[in-house]
């Protein structure tokens, strides 16, 4: 009765319940991994860990910090004694520990004199990897950057060694191969996207040297292939078709490079030769690559509710520059800003908001608060920001579930029901283990992409901005991607794969 009253029966019956069968098969199949390669990567990560520790231990700023830490330690020891006092020999073995928040605080904020931009729950200066990455933008000294990069690298490697490597090494042996099994949770996030745990397969490292190393561990046994397809810019396209913001439509309809377009709005005064045309603005990629790169972080922060002080902390901009970028961003996307504000206003009035597929998100704090005043509780502001993100894009990652369910129903009804096995869903991407058979690949490429082009929800239909994806074969491992065009026939697939493998060799 409650589900009927809240109009939740449709999403329950048509999206969540069908997902159970798909998810169970994913969990039972698991992701194929090469145990030999896992052990090799473990060794490589240990070497990286040693390299980072060597840089940190031998850095002059760390040595200076160590002297101060020894002095503070000696003072602390002697303060507890009534008469006898120890000398420096008492703390000669006391060393800087890069995993100690107190030692990092001494290094970052006392020795290096970097600004305190983040705080812990206990109001202490934060020292996590995310904070250190932001601090990179607050120094121009190359030696300091080298040290900060080593601290960031060490943190990331330590995390992989303590979480992902044990999970990979614990993979289950089956049919002369190993498979990594995790749990998937329907509606595990506020926006309706699935979550994962034990291990969290949606949080596997991606990008950078670490992501490539971990991905190289995912490999199928002979006779099978690992394939996958990502939606093309799903959240950006969904946000565009929902808000109908003309400046967002320009990217997909007129062919603007999104990063160049935003860089033009933020930094046009620094690019006097760039004019407001597609060709001219897109030339920023070649003529002003640094400014294009510089536009990415503030755009991401502002898209998810950040403000000018966020840009000051995260990107190292001075206050005037940060305020100018924030103002230009909101001027550029005034239409979509108003669309989100209207949605939050609805949530404020009724205490909930309906998102993708009718999923209802409760907003109890927003529903009892007056937003955008000096007295607005920060919890209400955070809830409003989460709701805005969900309703304007994130909740439509449920399209991934819908595509997987619809495609797998086709698989189960086909001659390929034992040749195509779902193994993972990560936000807006779907992954499979498939028989190494050209007929299977051709069939999968045709039918999966059709489901990922589905755009039948009334609010996301658009005459020109279309959803879509491309299938990739990962060979010899997930770290190596061979992308196939939509609708490629068997001859084209063979040719593309052959060229890719030849190039790799």
């Amino acid at each position: 009765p409650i589900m009927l009253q809240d109009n939740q029966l449709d999403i329950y019956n048509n999206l969540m319940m069908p997902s159970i069968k798909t998810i169970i098969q994913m969990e039972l199949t698991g992701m194929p991994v090469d145990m030999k390669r896992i052990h090799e990567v473990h060794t490589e990560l240990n070497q990286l860990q040693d390299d980072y520790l060597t840089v940190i231990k031998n850095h002059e700023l760390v040595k200076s910090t160590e002297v101060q830490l020894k002095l503070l330690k000696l003072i602390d020891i002697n303060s507890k004694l009534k008469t006898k006092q120890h000398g420096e020999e008492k703390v000669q073995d006391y060393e800087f520990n890069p995993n100690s928040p107190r030692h990092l605080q001494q290094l970052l904020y006392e020795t290096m004199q970097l600004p305190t931009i983040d705080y812990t729950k206990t109001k202490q200066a934060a020292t996590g990897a995310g904070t250190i990455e932001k601090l990179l933008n607050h120094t121009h000294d190359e030696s300091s950057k080298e040290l900060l990069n080593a601290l960031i690298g060490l943190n990331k490697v330590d995390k992989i060694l303590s979480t992902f490597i044990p999970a990979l090494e614990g993979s289950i042996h089956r049919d002369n191969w190993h498979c990594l099994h995790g749990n998937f949770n329907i509606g595990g996030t506020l926006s309706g996207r699935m979550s994962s745990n034990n291990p969290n397969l949606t949080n596997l490292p991606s990008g950078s040297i670490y992501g490539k190393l971990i991905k190289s561990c995912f490999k199928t046994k002979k006779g099978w292939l690992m394939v996958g397809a990502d939606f093309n810019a799903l959240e950006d396209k969904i946000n565009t078709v929902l808000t109908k913001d003309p400046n967002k439509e320009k990217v997909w309809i007129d062919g603007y490079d999104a990063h160049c377009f935003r860089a033009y709005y933020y930094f046009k005064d620094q690019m006097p030769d760039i004019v407001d045309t597609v060709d001219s603005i897109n030339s920023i990629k070649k003529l002003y690559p640094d400014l294009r790169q510089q536009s990415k972080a503030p755009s991401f922060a502002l898209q998810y509710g950040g403000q000018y002080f966020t840009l000051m902390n995260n990107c190292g901009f001075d206050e005037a520059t940060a305020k100018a970028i924030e103002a230009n961003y909101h001027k550029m996307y005034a239409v979509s800003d108003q669309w989100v504000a209207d949605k939050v206003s609805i949530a404020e009035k009724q205490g909930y908001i309906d998102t993708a597929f009718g999923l209802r998100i409760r907003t109890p704090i927003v529903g009892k608060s007056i937003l955008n005043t000096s007295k607005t509780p920060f919890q209400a502001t955070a809830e409003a920001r989460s709701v805005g993100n969900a309703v304007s894009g994130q909740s439509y990652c449920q399209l991934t579930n819908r595509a997987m369910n619809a495609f797998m129903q086709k698989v189960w009804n086909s001659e390929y029901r034992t040749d195509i096995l779902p193994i993972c869903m990560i936000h807006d991407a779907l992954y499979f283990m498939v028989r190494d058979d050209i007929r299977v690949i051709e069939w999968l490429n045709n039918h999966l992409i059709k489901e990922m082009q589905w755009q039948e929800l009334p609010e996301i239909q658009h005459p020109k901005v279309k959803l879509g994806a491309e299938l990739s074969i990962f060979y010899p491992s997930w770290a190596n991607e061979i992308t196939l065009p939509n609708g490629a026939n068997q001859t084209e697939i063979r040719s593309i794969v052959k060229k890719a493998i030849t190039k790799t060799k």
Side-chain angles (χ1 to χ4, degrees):
I2 294 174
M3 292 174 68
L4 283 169
Q5 175 186 326
D6 288 351
N7 298 317
Q8 297 297 280
L9 197 59
D10 183 67
I11 187 173
Y12 178 75
N13 284 332
N14 297 321
L15 187 63
M16 293 186 175
M17 286 296 290
S19 294
I20 292 176
K21 183 178 178 180
T22 308
I23 290 172
I24 288 173
Q25 188 171 15
M26 283 198 301
E27 291 178 340
L28 290 174
T29 304
M31 299 186 73
V33 293
D34 182 346
M35 190 56 68
K36 180 183 176 183
R37 180 58 184 156
I38 291 171
H39 295 324
E40 292 172 351
V41 168
H42 195 163
T43 301
E44 290 181 50
L45 289 168
N46 282 333
Q47 183 59 56
L48 280 171
Q49 185 184 53
D50 290 342
D51 292 344
Y52 289 131
L53 284 170
T54 299
V55 171
I56 293 167
K57 182 179 179 180
N58 295 326
H59 202 282
E60 290 301 319
L61 289 168
V62 171
K63 289 180 180 179
S64 176
T65 300
E66 206 168 62
V67 171
Q68 293 301 313
L69 288 170
K70 287 180 178 180
L71 177 60
L72 291 170
K73 182 67 175 178
L74 186 61
I75 292 172
D76 180 59
I77 292 172
N78 287 333
S79 68
K80 297 174 183 177
L81 302 175
K82 290 185 178 180
T83 54
K84 183 180 178 180
Q85 297 289 289
H86 293 292
E88 291 182 6
E89 70 282 352
K90 183 68 177 178
V91 293
Q92 63 181 357
D93 295 329
Y94 191 66
E95 296 182 344
F96 176 82
N97 179 3
N99 293 314
S100 166
R102 188 170 66 82
H103 288 194
L104 286 171
Q105 286 171 350
Q106 183 71 29
L107 170 66
L108 299 172
Y109 305 116
E110 298 297 331
T111 304
M112 300 179 72
Q113 292 290 297
L114 293 168
T116 305
I117 58 177
D118 288 333
Y119 293 88
T120 66
K121 290 182 179 179
T122 57
K123 305 302 180 184
Q124 297 294 310
T127 59
T131 297
I132 297 176
E133 285 190 50
K134 297 176 188 176
L135 289 173
L136 272 172
N137 295 311
H138 292 267
T139 179
H140 298 292
D141 179 65
E142 291 304 318
S143 178
S144 296
K145 287 187 175 184
E146 178 192 29
L147 175 57
L148 293 176
N149 278 317
L151 289 169
I152 294 166
L154 179 65
N155 185 283
K156 290 182 177 180
V157 168
D158 283 350
K159 182 179 179 181
I160 294 171
L161 285 170
S162 63
T163 56
F164 295 111
I165 291 299
L168 287 166
E169 291 181 334
S171 298
I172 295 174
H173 185 267
R174 188 181 74 241
D175 299 330
N176 297 317
W177 206 247
H178 287 82
C179 289
L180 176 65
H181 298 267
N183 300 314
F184 292 93
N185 311 301
I186 301 172
T189 64
L190 175 74
S191 63
R193 293 191 303 191
M194 283 204 311
S195 65
S196 176
N197 67 301
N198 196 30
N200 184 355
L201 296 177
T202 66
N203 196 35
L204 292 169
S206 61
S208 76
I209 182 175
Y210 318 107
K212 199 167 183 68
L213 277 175
I214 293 299
K215 283 187 171 183
S216 72
C217 297
F218 290 84
K219 182 179 179 182
T220 56
K221 63 180 179 179
K222 186 175 178 60
W224 290 83
L225 296 169
M226 182 176 170
V227 305
D230 291 21
F231 278 98
N232 295 328
L234 179 61
E235 284 191 45
D236 285 344
K237 285 190 175 182
I238 287 294
N239 186 276
T240 299
V241 300
L242 288 173
T243 66
K244 295 180 174 57
D245 189 310
N247 277 337
K248 292 186 174 182
E249 289 180 326
K250 284 181 178 180
V251 171
W252 309 113
I253 297 173
D254 297 340
Y256 283 93
D257 176 281
H259 299 304
C260 290
F261 188 82
R262 290 189 281 266
Y264 176 71
Y265 261 81
Y266 302 154
F267 311 119
K268 66 172 68 176
D269 291 345
Q270 300 180 49
M271 301 179 284
D273 54 326
I274 302 298
V275 295
D276 192 3
T277 66
V278 175
D279 290 341
S280 183
I281 287 179
N282 285 355
S283 71
I284 291 172
K285 186 174 184 178
K286 182 179 291 185
L287 299 177
Y288 299 96
D290 292 343
L291 291 177
R292 181 180 180 273
Q293 180 64 31
Q294 201 174 346
S295 74
K296 293 181 180 180
S299 296
F300 183 82
L302 293 167
Q303 178 183 350
Y304 290 103
Q307 296 177 288
Y308 75 90
F309 50 82
T310 312
L311 308 188
M312 293 173 66
N313 289 344
N314 293 9
C315 310
F317 293 121
D318 59 69
E319 184 173 343
T321 302
K323 284 184 173 179
I325 292 174
E326 180 187 34
N328 285 329
Y329 176 90
H330 291 299
K331 179 182 177 182
M332 177 171 46
Y333 295 138
V335 172
S336 53
D337 280 354
Q338 187 59 53
W339 186 91
V340 172
D342 291 343
K343 293 294 182 182
V344 173
S345 179
I346 292 172
E348 188 178 2
K349 291 182 175 68
Q350 61 189 22
Y352 67 86
I353 193 72
D354 291 329
T355 61
F357 295 96
L359 178 69
R360 182 161 293 183
I361 297 178
R362 305 288 178 183
T363 55
I365 304 175
V366 166
K368 296 179 181 179
S369 306
I370 299 175
L371 298 176
N372 303 317
T373 73
S374 59
K375 296 182 179 180
T376 301
F378 75 89
Q379 296 96 332
T381 301
E383 187 177 84
R385 182 167 57 248
S386 296
V387 166
N389 292 337
V391 75
S392 64
Q394 287 181 353
S395 66
Y396 287 85
C397 283
Q398 293 177 97
L399 286 164
T400 311
N401 291 62
R402 193 223 68 84
M404 178 68 94
N405 294 341
F407 173 68
M408 285 311 302
Q409 195 58 56
K410 289 182 177 180
V411 172
W412 295 323
N413 293 333
S414 77
E415 62 181 296
Y416 302 120
R417 60 188 176 276
T418 61
D419 300 321
I420 300 174
L421 306 174
I423 58 174
C424 192
M425 282 195 284
I426 302 179
H427 305 320
D428 58 355
L430 302 90
Y431 299 94
F432 304 85
M433 190 164 66
V434 303
R435 195 89 58 184
D436 187 2
D437 183 328
I438 192 72
R439 297 177 307 123
V440 179
I441 296 296
E442 181 187 38
W443 189 91
L444 186 149
N445 189 31
N446 288 332
H447 289 279
L448 177 62
I449 300 306
K450 284 180 182 177
E451 295 304 335
M452 297 180 78
Q453 292 171 336
W454 185 91
Q455 206 164 335
E456 294 180 20
L457 290 176
E459 71 271 22
I460 65 172
Q461 293 175 7
H462 195 283
K464 294 183 178 180
V465 182
K466 302 298 181 182
L467 303 184
E470 292 177 320
L471 182 71
S472 292
I473 300 172
F474 304 112
Y475 184 84
S477 73
W478 193 6
N480 311 94
E481 185 173 3
I482 304 171
T483 302
L484 304 180
N486 293 173
N489 60 38
Q490 294 182 24
T491 302
E492 292 169 331
I493 293 171
R494 280 197 181 92
S495 175
I496 292 166
V497 171
K498 185 176 181 180
K499 287 180 181 177
I501 293 174
T502 302
K503 185 177 181 181
T504 302
K505 289 179 179 179

